[in-house]
Amino acid sequence: MDRDLADVLDATVGHEDLWEHFERDTYRGREYFYLPDERHGVERGTVVVDDAIVRGYPSMPRVLVLDPGIPDAFDGPVALEEKLNGYNVRIARAGGDVLAFTRSGYVCPFTTDLARDLPLDAFFDDYPGYVVCGELVGPENPYTTHDYAEIERAGLRVFDLRERVSGEPMAVADRRECCDAYDLPQVPAFGVYDPQEAVGAVRETIADLDERGREGVVVKSADGTRAVKYTTSAIHRSDLAHAFDKPFEYGREFVFARVVREAFQAVECEESDEQVRERARALGEAILCPTVETIRAVDRGEEVGDEHTIRADPATVESLLNQFRGLGLHLDIREDYYEGDERVVTFLKVADASRDKIDHYLSGGQIDE
Ligand code: ATP
Ligand code: MG
């Protein structure tokens, strides 16, 4: 790593030799460095590339009850925004080019290519020291499978504009205005409230989002420095269904966390016994039905895993697939064809551990528990 940049980084975070923890990678022949784990308060996924330092996106706490969770977390007005379910993306200008990074700090060829559809040049000309943070949502992306009725093409929804080096966020109202001014699409907003008032507003918003199968809300302090998340029952169930169609890929904490979220939500909503039973039934179905389906599929000799379709110029597709294979993902290519100038590939991220374990147990293998 460039010694000067390493010094800038050390100076910014007040710690020496942080750069020793960075790993090196390349993107189309270009060298970059990323921080694989949080160190000395510097976020996982922090990247150094060419002349740019881009801090990782901070992890966000969750409240299990809105009251007093929200009033306790904030002492001034809060902004409510929708929490969209896609993948976290940071976009910055480095060495003259616009690059998109995943949460872990890899340059993503697919997302970098998608970012070219956005009017980012105008934004970065005026704000070169900023990183655009957003959720990449919509169909035909290589990471997530959640669909939104109103989103026809995978695209970014901005939820933060931050100083690249310090990670300091722009205040929520300024950020929303700035995104409007530069035509950058944003996450939906649900207004600004006093913390106590926000409890009711979130409750109503969550009821509506839940009905529409959407993920939840993020409550942010007006200056953007503090945020908490809260999610719908619908997403707890769909997370579980998504995890249990490959039951041995996820840790057991994954289930426990969602059971706890559901339980606190039921209590705070003062549900009747009948309503709690209904919630329990839906939760159980979300866990058990996909697991049973998957065991049957393995029994039939089918591969299991997540299927994704991507569509992009051939070099981008090649570069993404190589990156995935380099990361050790086992891909099963289901379709691969050209449409005009674009290459379209449908692939399965094969869930090897699930398939192997299910095979083993189906043929009588023993489990130590
Ligand atoms: P953590 O935040 O602890 O790292 P995680 O990676 O599992 O957890 P989530 O539970 O999905 O993430 O919650 C935080 C993420 O939500 C953010 O990193 C961001 O990608 C996404 N997100 C979606 N909508 C918003 C929004 N309006 N504001 C902030 N983040 C949002
Ligand atoms: Mg998420």
Side-chain angles (χ1 to χ4, degrees):
M1 189 190 297
D2 184 307
R3 192 58 241 187
D4 290 344
L5 272 184
D7 287 344
V8 171
L9 188 63
D10 287 350
T12 317
V13 301
H15 217 285
E16 280 195 12
D17 295 339
L18 183 75
W19 60 272
E20 281 178 4
H21 301 290
F22 279 74
E23 308 255 335
R24 179 185 171 278
D25 208 328
T26 56
Y27 167 72
R28 296 188 169 178
R30 182 174 192 167
E31 189 177 49
Y32 68 96
F33 301 85
Y34 63 94
L35 190 62
D37 298 297
E38 195 208 306
R39 295 272 171 178
H40 308 301
V42 178
E43 306 79 8
R44 172 176 82 95
T46 295
V47 196
V48 179
V49 53
D50 297 325
D51 53 352
I53 296 171
V54 185
R55 294 288 285 273
Y57 196 76
S59 137
M60 184 188 300
R62 168 188 300 278
V63 288
L64 290 177
V65 293
L66 299 172
D67 198 5
I70 294 178
D72 274 5
F74 301 97
D75 48 20
V78 296
L80 306 194
E81 289 188 327
E82 180 166 3
K83 182 176 195 303
L84 292 176
N85 184 19
Y87 61 98
N88 180 295
V89 171
R90 286 166 292 143
I91 303 174
R93 188 187 265 171
D97 291 324
V98 170
L99 298 174
F101 307 95
T102 63
R103 191 87 192 264
S104 330
Y106 296 107
V107 178
C108 173
F110 176 82
T111 319
T112 297
D113 190 48
L114 265 193
R116 293 192 310 190
D117 296 345
L118 293 167
L120 286 163
D121 280 334
F123 174 80
F124 285 125
D125 284 348
D126 295 343
Y127 294 90
Y130 272 73
V131 52
V132 176
C133 310
E135 197 78 350
L136 205 304
V137 283
E140 300 201 334
N141 81 68
Y143 304 101
T144 57
T145 53
H146 190 104
D147 275 333
Y148 285 95
E150 78 280 15
I151 301 178
E152 279 174 19
R153 265 172 61 86
L156 189 75
R157 297 295 180 271
V158 177
F159 52 64
D160 245 322
L161 298 173
R162 289 180 177 249
E163 278 179 43
R164 277 197 282 104
V165 181
S166 66
E168 274 301 303
M170 194 183 279
V172 176
D174 298 343
R175 182 241 301 163
R176 297 207 65 98
E177 212 171 283
C178 187
C179 285
D180 269 347
Y182 290 90
D183 266 336
L184 299 174
Q186 312 189 50
V187 294
F190 304 120
V192 176
Y193 302 86
D194 288 334
Q196 193 60 49
E197 228 187 2
V199 170
V202 173
R203 216 168 258 163
E204 276 172 33
T205 308
I206 283 286
D208 176 55
L209 293 173
D210 185 48
E211 235 166 65
R212 294 155 58 211
R214 299 172 78 107
E215 182 173 22
V217 298
V218 179
V219 185
K220 298 179 179 178
S221 59
D223 65 2
T225 56
R226 269 166 308 135
V228 298
K229 58 193 176 195
Y230 185 81
T231 48
T232 62
S233 183
I235 203 74
H236 304 155
R237 291 194 303 273
S238 90
D239 278 357
L240 286 166
H242 185 70
F244 275 88
D245 67 10
K246 38 196 176 314
F248 296 99
E249 312 306 299
Y250 287 79
R252 293 178 187 204
E253 329 73 64
F254 188 89
V255 194
F256 182 69
R258 282 156 187 82
V259 172
V260 167
R261 291 173 203 171
E262 279 290 284
F264 279 91
Q265 194 167 81
V267 169
E268 190 169 32
C269 293
E270 299 189 326
E271 288 184 352
S272 64
D273 289 354
E274 185 53 38
Q275 286 169 311
V276 173
R277 256 198 304 278
E278 174 54 27
R279 195 186 273 270
R281 193 190 50 77
L283 190 74
E285 281 183 7
I287 295 172
L288 206 58
C289 297
T291 315
V292 169
E293 271 308 301
T294 296
I295 296 173
R296 287 182 177 145
V298 172
D299 199 25
R300 290 192 297 266
E302 292 168 18
E303 289 283 18
V304 296
D306 282 337
E307 194 177 277
H308 299 270
T309 297
I310 52 168
R311 172 188 309 269
D313 78 80
T316 301
V317 171
E318 191 60 29
S319 161
L320 180 83
L321 295 178
N322 284 339
Q323 187 179 63
F324 277 3
R325 291 190 176 111
L327 291 170
L329 291 184
H330 171 189
L331 305 181
D332 182 30
I333 307 293
R334 298 271 162 108
E335 273 197 286
D336 191 347
Y337 59 93
Y338 288 82
E339 222 174 73
D341 292 345
E342 292 184 317
R343 182 174 165 197
V344 184
V345 178
T346 298
F347 58 91
L348 190 76
K349 286 186 187 162
V350 181
D352 286 307
S354 292
R355 187 210 41 223
D356 294 349
K357 286 199 172 157
I358 292 170
D359 249 342
H360 174 67
Y361 297 134
L362 276 175
S363 46
Q366 298 177 356
I367 192 162
D368 271 342
E369 57 189 21

